[in-house]
């Protein structure tokens, strides 16, 4: 049994990972999350009182706060999800992206070195590789060519992790994954936004010509990959994870409408995102060959599970959209 310090465990992927670890292993979890707009403890109500789960509200970019967390909890492993994660927000203002994604990652690396953490798993993204034309795939050797402030800040964090391996001989692993979807995703990202809008009869805003391509992966398949990399990955290595499910945005949007029994008249084409990357596609053959990982969900099966979840959990996303979810921390833990 190891003690895993999970950062960003109240967010979308982090909360799915925390649940997987608590219910599917005997590891202990210390979940460190600042509870920004994207952090939601209602993502974890079913495992909140699990005996191997501890929640700490703290900012990863605050060195004194992190020193306290590492000194008190002495983690064996760090799995680092915490980030500002939405491209559109980074286009408007990149300040928080640099602070959390770059500074925050360096603070965690420093504390991990001082407190002799055995392994640091850095959760990154395919977006650091830039944009593809109609052919080809990203491999772990593809040069970093980030295009948005979000992906540039993630690329910065990846390079800091690489430097910690090279300079300080730290045992770090970088995972890079394609676009996730599934339960508990904040309804500002494509799939949950489109589902929630369709269910409320609102317009579905499709950027540009709608023909940008993403490689979609069901969130628990990504979490399994991270867990396998954490347990069996080789120090200093990068592992790509993708869903083998390239789809144009407009296909995804139409499929959501079709499965919900809604008309395509809800689609509204809007002005394109500045610098919008055209296509992402992952070559995950290294993770398959060396970790024995494979995604379990086809896009069709994963999308149906996701639709069923959002239909059944309307109060969850209504509380996110109204802002009511932000009172949950105070209700459970009192004022900070
Ligand atoms: P998210 O935005 O849903 O969650 C981010 C979490 O980090 C939130 O709980 C937030 O409160 C927390 N956080 C933000 N700033 C913090 C700070 N300064 N200190 C402590 N906690 C802070 O993000 P997500 O979609 O779950 O993504 C998690 C990670 O996976 C990110 O690093 C992201 O770059 C990476 N990733 C995401 C995707 C995707 O499709 N969503 C794909 C590949 C990689
Ligand atoms: P998003 O979920 O923001 O993920 P990312 O930009 O990190 O890939 O967007 C996925 C795709 O959907 C991307 O090509 C932008 C597009 N998109 C829309 O067309 N409309 C929207 O309202 C959003 C949020 C995204």
């Amino acid at each position: 049994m190891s003690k895993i310090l999970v950062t960003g465990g109240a967010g979308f992927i982090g909360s799915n990972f925390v649940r997987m670890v608590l219910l599917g292993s005997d590891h202990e979890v210390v979940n460190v999350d600042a509870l920004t707009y994207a952090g939601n403890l209602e993502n974890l109500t079913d495992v909140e009182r699990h005996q191997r789960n501890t929640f700490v509200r703290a900012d990863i970019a605050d060195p004194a706060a992190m020193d306290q967390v590492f000194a008190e909890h002495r983690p064996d492993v760090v799995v680092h999800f915490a980030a500002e994660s939405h491209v559109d927000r980074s286009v408007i203002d990149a300040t928080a992206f640099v602070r959390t994604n770059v500074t925050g990652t360096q603070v965690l690396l420093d504390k991990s070195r001082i407190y002799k953490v055995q392994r640091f798993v850095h959760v990154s993204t395919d977006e650091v590789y830039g944009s593809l034309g109609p052919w080809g795939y990203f491999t772990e050797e593809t040069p970093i060519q980030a295009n948005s402030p979000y992906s540039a800040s993630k690329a910065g964090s990846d390079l800091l992790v690489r430097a910690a391996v090279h300079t300080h001989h730290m045992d770090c692993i970088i995972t890079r994954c394609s676009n996730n979807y599934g339960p508990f995703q904040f309804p500002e990202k494509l799939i949950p936004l489109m589902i929630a809008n369709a269910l409320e009869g609102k317009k579905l805003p499709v950027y540009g010509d709608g023909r940008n391509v993403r490689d979609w992966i069901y969130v628990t398949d990504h979490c399994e990959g991270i867990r396998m990399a954490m347990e069996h990955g080789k120090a200093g290595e990068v592992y790509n994870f993708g869903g083998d499910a390239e789809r144009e945005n407009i296909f995804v949007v139409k499929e959501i409408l079709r499965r919900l029994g809604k008309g395509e008249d809800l689609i509204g084409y809007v002005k394109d995102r500045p610098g919008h990357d055209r296509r992402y596609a992952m070559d995950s053959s290294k993770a398959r060959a060396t970790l024995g990982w494979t995604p379990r969900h086809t896009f069709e099966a994963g999308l149906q599970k996701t639709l069923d979840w959002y239909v059944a959990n309307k109060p969850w996303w209504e509380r996110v959209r109204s802002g009511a979810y932000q009172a949950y921390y105070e209700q459970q833990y009192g004022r900070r």
Side-chain angles (χ1 to χ4, degrees):
M1 188 197 83
S2 298
K3 191 186 267 195
I4 308 174
L5 192 154
V6 177
T7 71
F12 163 48
I13 308 173
S15 63
N16 278 284
F17 182 80
V18 165
R19 178 173 297 100
M20 175 179 286
V21 168
L22 290 173
L23 303 183
S25 77
D26 62 359
H27 299 312
E28 209 177 308
V29 170
V30 179
N31 176 7
V32 177
D33 197 297
L35 298 181
T36 68
Y37 82 92
N40 182 355
L41 284 177
E42 293 183 14
N43 296 356
L44 289 166
T45 42
D46 56 329
V47 290
E48 189 176 28
R49 307 216 177 274
H50 195 288
Q51 55 176 4
R52 285 184 278 107
N53 183 44
T54 305
F55 176 73
V56 182
R57 186 176 190 178
D59 178 354
I60 59 159
D62 177 344
M66 285 307 105
D67 203 71
Q68 214 180 326
V69 167
F70 278 73
E72 187 180 340
H73 295 284
R74 302 277 173 167
D76 303 304
V77 178
V78 171
V79 182
H80 176 32
F81 293 90
E84 288 294 333
S85 68
H86 192 44
V87 174
D88 292 327
R89 289 179 187 257
S90 79
V91 173
I92 294 164
D93 183 356
T95 312
F97 289 74
V98 175
R99 183 173 189 280
T100 292
N101 301 2
V102 181
T103 306
T105 299
Q106 186 58 45
V107 169
L108 291 171
L109 288 167
D110 290 342
K111 299 307 167 195
S112 297
R113 183 159 54 91
I114 292 165
Y115 288 96
K116 300 192 173 14
V117 163
Q118 290 161 25
R119 169 154 283 187
F120 187 101
V121 181
H122 178 60
V123 180
S124 191
T125 166
D126 59 355
E127 300 190 30
V128 300
Y129 296 124
S131 184
L132 289 166
W135 297 285
Y137 297 88
F138 297 134
T139 72
E140 289 81 359
E141 276 71 48
T142 301
I144 302 291
Q145 284 189 316
N147 290 320
S148 73
Y150 161 66
S151 55
S153 65
K154 291 296 292 187
S157 64
D158 287 20
L159 294 178
L160 291 171
V161 174
R162 179 188 154 89
V165 173
H166 189 80
T167 307
H168 298 296
H169 309 292
M170 285 179 66
D171 179 330
C172 303
I173 285 173
I174 297 175
T175 64
R176 296 189 179 128
C177 190
S178 62
N179 285 62
N180 286 220
Y181 66 99
F184 302 108
Q185 187 167 28
F186 198 88
E188 65 181 352
K189 303 275 168 51
L190 181 75
I191 289 182
L193 177 72
M194 298 298 158
I195 296 173
N197 280 12
L199 289 173
E200 291 193 326
K202 292 184 178 156
K203 280 281 184 194
L204 277 54
V206 174
Y207 298 164
D209 64 2
R211 302 203 53 194
N212 300 66
V213 173
R214 297 294 183 263
D215 174 2
W216 295 98
I217 185 169
Y218 192 71
V219 61
T220 53
D221 289 339
H222 180 198
C223 291
E224 275 178 8
I226 294 167
R227 184 173 158 194
M228 290 168 113
M230 172 182 86
E231 290 175 347
H232 311 296
K234 201 167 148 227
E237 295 288 317
V238 177
Y239 296 95
N240 282 356
F241 298 113
D244 280 342
E246 282 184 60
R247 299 288 185 279
E248 289 186 347
N249 293 338
I250 192 62
F251 173 88
V252 173
V253 170
K254 286 184 178 173
E255 195 59 15
I256 289 169
L257 288 170
R258 192 182 67 77
R259 287 172 186 247
L260 290 176
K262 307 280 180 183
E264 292 186 5
D265 52 315
L266 283 178
I267 295 172
Y269 286 92
V270 299
K271 195 168 166 288
D272 208 356
R273 168 189 283 171
H276 196 174
D277 283 340
R278 193 63 174 170
R279 174 171 170 258
Y280 304 142
M282 277 302 220
D283 177 343
S284 320
S285 50
K286 178 177 173 182
R288 288 170 188 264
T290 61
L291 300 175
W293 174 84
T294 185
R296 292 174 196 261
H297 295 80
T298 61
F299 180 69
E300 288 64 35
L303 183 64
Q304 193 55 50
K305 263 172 112 166
T306 306
L307 285 162
D308 292 345
W309 190 87
Y310 278 85
V311 168
N313 291 279
K314 200 165 179 227
W316 177 87
W317 55 264
E318 280 177 339
R319 284 174 62 76
V320 172
R321 301 243 257 200
S322 72
Y325 73 108
Q326 286 177 312
Y328 185 85
Y329 178 81
E330 270 77 23
Q331 285 158 13
Q332 298 299 311
Y333 295 85
R335 290 226 163 264
R336 190 146 102 107

